[in-house]
Amino acid sequence: MFNECKHLHDILDAQKAIIERHVDQHKWFQGIEDKERAVCDFIEKYGFIMREFYCSRICVDRFECELAQKYDPR
């Protein structure tokens, strides 16, 4: 059976906050002028890290969540 994340909105809110804090630096370091393009690039490069960190360290259901188990929550 396929399990769905119960905290998808929480993950997306956390990712949005991280992106908003770092997108200007990311634009500068990557030489990207367009903010929307920089956001897409940021997500491509770091989206998996943000998800893994959230699921393995922040999510309140990480110890019971089948999806989070691949991230070895502690």
Side-chain angles (χ1 to χ4, degrees):
M1 180 177 189
F2 181 76
N3 290 332
E4 293 182 18
C5 178
K6 299 177 193 175
H7 301 283
L8 188 56
H9 289 286
D10 297 331
I11 293 169
L12 295 175
D13 287 344
Q15 288 180 339
K16 183 178 176 186
I18 292 167
I19 292 167
E20 287 173 351
R21 277 196 306 274
H22 298 284
V23 72
D24 289 334
Q25 289 177 322
H26 185 71
K27 282 173 52 179
W28 187 84
F29 282 121
Q30 299 301 314
I32 301 172
E33 293 185 24
D34 180 65
K35 184 174 183 175
E36 189 172 320
R37 195 169 136 239
V39 168
C40 290
D41 187 68
F42 191 95
I43 292 168
E44 274 184 37
K45 291 179 177 171
Y46 306 112
F48 74 97
I49 294 170
M50 293 187 288
R51 170 72 187 259
E52 182 171 335
F53 185 80
Y54 185 91
C55 292
S56 67
R57 302 292 188 257
I58 298 172
C59 183
V60 296
D61 293 327
R62 67 187 176 272
F63 299 110
E64 292 81 31
C65 176
E66 186 177 310
L67 299 171
Q69 293 311 302
K70 68 181 179 180
Y71 302 125
D72 191 28
R74 296 172 195 190

